[in-house]
Amino acid sequence: MTGHSSSMKTSKFMSKFLFYFGNIVIGLIFVSPLIWMISASLKPEAKIFANMNSLATFFPTDASLDNYQEVFSRLDMPQVLGNTLLYIALILVLDLLLNSFCGYALAKFQFKGKNLITSLVVALMVLPMEAIMLPLYIEISQLGWLDSMPALVVPFVAKCFSIYMFRQFFMDIPDDLLEAASIDGCGPIMTFFRVVMPLSKTVYATVFILDFVAHWNDFMWPFLVMTGTENRTIQLAVQSFFGTQPVHYSAIMASLVVSAIPMILMFVFMQKYYVEGIASTGIKG
């Protein structure tokens, strides 16, 4: 019995060891480009692509912050970051408010055409941005919004995916809670703000993260509608390093690290809500 128990303990230990070791290896493979980018941003230009066939490429020698100084000297980084954060903040506020209203109506209200609208929302989720980019650009141009904040914000206020996520989450909220709020004298809007929203932190956090990442990384649409430099976003600012000859990859890597910091911090502090939100809305990856 003692030998059998010892064998079982050894087997469990090896299973856990292989599980965690495998996860660590896979994790390192996924984050290796980020680690290399940070390492390259600290290297002189001549040493960026040195030792690419060995692990030494991940460990910078003669590390310095000169590349970051070049980035901040060539770009008005506070203005660029401010522009990006402003337009994303406007999108997030409007998206979280309006799309949650729509999701709440589709989840809890009964009205004519509800099933048709829900089916349309689901169908439009598969429509890629590239399919409507040209007519959307023409419309924005006709409105005279080019090179302005409305061109970045207005087209992305309503999102079918956000509506669907809110609807899926709100459907799981017990109707008894809403009825109790109605008995206490709360109307539909008051019920939404006092009962529904406090119970829905995870789905709001999930939509917040997905929206932030999508628009922070967005390059094509800002590239089309932003014709000047005053309102350009972080991705357009990073792209400007590729248009200047000679191309300094050290400065490019430093600018990419700066642009990646907000996303890294957000995932570090909000990954719990993201996982919970995805699980609670019933969306399978």
Side-chain angles (χ1 to χ4, degrees), residues 226-244:
M226 290 290 109
T227 57
T229 60
E230 184 178 351
N231 296 318
R232 64 180 174 178
T233 63
I234 183 67
Q235 300 305 328
L236 294 180
V238 171
Q239 189 272 341
S240 66
F241 284 97
F242 291 92
T244 304

Side-chain angles (χ1 to χ4, degrees), residues 104 109 186-193 196:
Y104 179 57
F109 293 168
C186 291
I189 296 179
M190 191 64 69
T191 299
F192 179 82
F193 284 107
V196 176

Side-chain angles (χ1 to χ4, degrees), residues 79-80 82-84 86-88 90-91 133 136-137 140-141 144-156 215 218-237 239-240:
Q79 182 185 23
V80 170
N83 292 338
T84 310
L86 175 60
Y87 106 85
I88 292 178
L90 292 173
I91 291 177
M133 188 171 291
L136 187 59
Y137 172 81
I140 293 297
S141 178
W145 287 354
L146 292 180
D147 199 24
S148 67
M149 198 60 66
L152 292 174
V153 175
V154 174
F156 301 102
H215 293 291
D218 189 16
F219 169 77
M220 183 55 67
W221 181 250
F223 179 74
L224 288 176
V225 299
M226 290 290 109
T227 57
T229 60
E230 184 178 351
N231 296 318
R232 64 180 174 178
T233 63
I234 183 67
Q235 300 305 328
L236 294 180
Q239 189 272 341
S240 66

Side-chain angles (χ1 to χ4, degrees), residues 261-272:
I261 289 175
M263 290 189 297
I264 295 173
L265 292 177
M266 184 178 58
F267 271 113
V268 168
F269 291 106
M270 299 188 68
Q271 60 178 330
K272 172 186 175 182

Side-chain angles (χ1 to χ4, degrees), residues 12-121:
K12 289 181 178 179
F13 172 79
M14 288 302 299
S15 297
K16 288 185 177 180
F17 173 79
L18 292 175
F19 174 78
Y20 288 112
F21 179 77
N23 280 319
I24 291 172
V25 171
I26 294 173
L28 288 175
I29 292 174
F30 275 100
V31 301
S32 59
L34 177 63
I35 296 174
W36 183 84
M37 180 178 71
I38 296 173
S39 173
S41 71
L42 299 171
K43 296 178 181 179
E45 183 73 22
K47 295 186 177 181
I48 288 183
F49 299 107
N51 302 317
M52 289 293 291
N53 59 346
S54 69
L55 291 176
T57 189
F58 294 101
F59 303 97
T61 56
D62 302 326
S64 71
L65 297 177
D66 292 344
N67 298 325
Y68 291 92
Q69 292 178 355
E70 180 181 353
V71 168
F72 280 86
S73 64
R74 291 174 59 179
L75 295 176
D76 188 354
M77 193 59 72
Q79 182 185 23
V80 170
L81 293 175
N83 292 338
T84 310
L85 291 174
L86 175 60
Y87 106 85
I88 292 178
L90 292 173
I91 291 177
L92 286 172
V93 171
L94 295 172
D95 181 0
L96 294 176
L97 184 62
L98 299 180
N99 292 325
S100 62
F101 280 164
C102 294
Y104 179 57
L106 293 174
K108 294 301 182 181
F109 293 168
Q110 299 298 327
F111 54 90
K112 188 176 181 179
K114 171 183 173 179
N115 293 334
L116 177 61
I117 294 174
T118 302
S119 300
L120 185 62
V121 167

